[in-house]
């Protein structure tokens, strides 16, 4: 696992960014100056047992990365029925400089899939701030036969980006899920999906957008 980080510890990155500059092509603000801190408040789920997930922040503060090492769903053969769905909910505490707010503008997921003919797999994610009823969902289906690395990208239109409330500390929650169904697979054949790679170390990257709060 990258850096040997454990989710049981508070994972923080104190980083300095360049002076803010507007990018007219995307509408996003570059990260504000001063320090950005991201800590793992809680991590729960069958896809992320304690000690198998880590979080780090990019040097330019435009993204954070979640690394999994034991996130696998499978079905078929003698698989336990509960193994067909795995999930992981991360609750992140994000500190940003006063007068700024942030949102997740996109996410990249990667893993490996071994789906026999007739089997189906699904990767799903939802995003929301603590106390907010506004939740964004994204779903990506996969169909066998498939025996290769997979990648899924979630993007949000600028007008639909959900911003953290200004002046209020709210945890940001990300709930991811893998599902596998044997479907019409021949009896005895096992299909599976992982949110990791063949070497047991994969990164899920969440891209951040920034803007100034009203009245700044």
């Amino acid at each position: 696992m990258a850096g040997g980080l454990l989710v049981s510890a508070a994972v923080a990155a104190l980083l300095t960014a360049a002076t803010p500059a507007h990018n007219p092509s995307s509408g996003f603000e570059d990260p504000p100056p001063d320090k950005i801190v991201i800590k793992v408040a809680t991590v729960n789920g069958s896809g992320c047992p304690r000690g198998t997930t880590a979080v780090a922040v990019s040097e330019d503060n435009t993204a954070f990365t979640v690394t999994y090492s034991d996130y696998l769903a499978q079905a078929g053969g003698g698989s336990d029925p509960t193994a067909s769905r795995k999930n992981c909910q991360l609750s992140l505490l994000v500190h940003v400089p006063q007068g700024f707010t942030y949102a997740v503008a996109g996410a990249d997921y990667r893993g490996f899939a071994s789906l026999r003919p007739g089997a189906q797999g699904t990767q799903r994610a939802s995003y929301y701030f603590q106390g907010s009823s506004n939740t964004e969902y994204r779903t990506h289906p996969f169909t066998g036969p498939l025996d290769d690395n997979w990648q899924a990208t979630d993007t949000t239109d600028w007008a639909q980006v959900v911003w953290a409330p200004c002046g209020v500390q709210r945890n940001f929650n990300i709930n991811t899920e893998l599902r596998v169904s044997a479907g019409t697979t021949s009896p005895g054949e096992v299909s599976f999906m992982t949110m990791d790679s063949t070497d047991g170390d994969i990164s899920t990257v969440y891209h951040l957008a920034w803007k100034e709060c009203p009245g700044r």
Side-chain angles (χ1 to χ4, degrees):
M1 183 182 297
L5 300 176
L6 300 178
V7 291
S8 55
V11 183
L14 303 180
L15 304 164
T16 302
T19 301
H22 187 68
N23 181 347
S25 63
S26 67
F28 293 154
E29 294 287 344
D30 287 339
D34 204 351
K35 296 177 179 178
I36 312 298
V37 182
I38 296 180
K39 295 182 179 181
V40 177
T42 59
V43 55
N44 295 292
S46 54
C48 50
R50 181 180 293 272
T52 66
T53 307
V55 178
V57 184
S58 66
E59 292 184 358
D60 62 1
N61 296 331
T62 62
F64 62 92
T65 301
V66 182
T67 303
Y68 303 96
S69 62
D70 191 22
Y71 200 155
L72 179 148
Q74 68 177 43
S79 301
D80 188 320
T82 62
S84 64
R85 176 187 178 275
K86 293 295 178 73
N87 81 298
C88 183
Q89 177 158 313
L90 292 170
S91 182
L92 303 176
L93 183 64
V94 183
H95 169 77
V96 298
Q98 184 175 4
F100 282 86
T101 185
Y102 75 98
V104 169
D108 299 316
Y109 298 93
R110 297 190 302 275
F112 185 82
S114 179
L115 301 176
R116 299 301 91 202
Q120 296 88 36
T122 302
Q123 183 272 325
R124 188 173 191 255
S126 61
Y127 312 90
Y128 63 98
F129 289 99
Q130 179 185 16
S132 173
S133 60
N134 195 342
T135 302
E136 290 289 322
Y137 295 94
R138 298 290 186 275
T139 301
H140 301 275
F142 299 88
T143 302
L146 176 63
D147 194 26
D148 202 351
N149 294 317
W150 62 268
Q151 180 168 339
T153 298
D154 294 345
T155 58
T156 303
D157 291 339
W158 175 251
Q160 297 176 331
V161 168
V162 180
W163 297 96
C166 286
V168 180
Q169 183 64 66
R170 297 281 179 85
N171 286 14
F172 183 64
N173 299 302
I174 302 168
N175 192 11
T176 59
E177 178 182 322
L178 289 179
R179 286 181 182 266
V180 175
S181 171
T184 58
T185 298
S186 300
E189 290 191 316
V190 176
S191 295
F192 67 87
M193 283 186 68
T194 70
M195 203 175 292
D196 65 5
S197 66
T198 52
D199 62 5
D201 188 3
I202 194 68
S203 296
T204 296
V205 181
Y206 297 89
H207 306 280
L208 299 178
W210 301 92
K211 72 173 182 178
E212 293 186 28
C213 290
R216 177 177 169 81

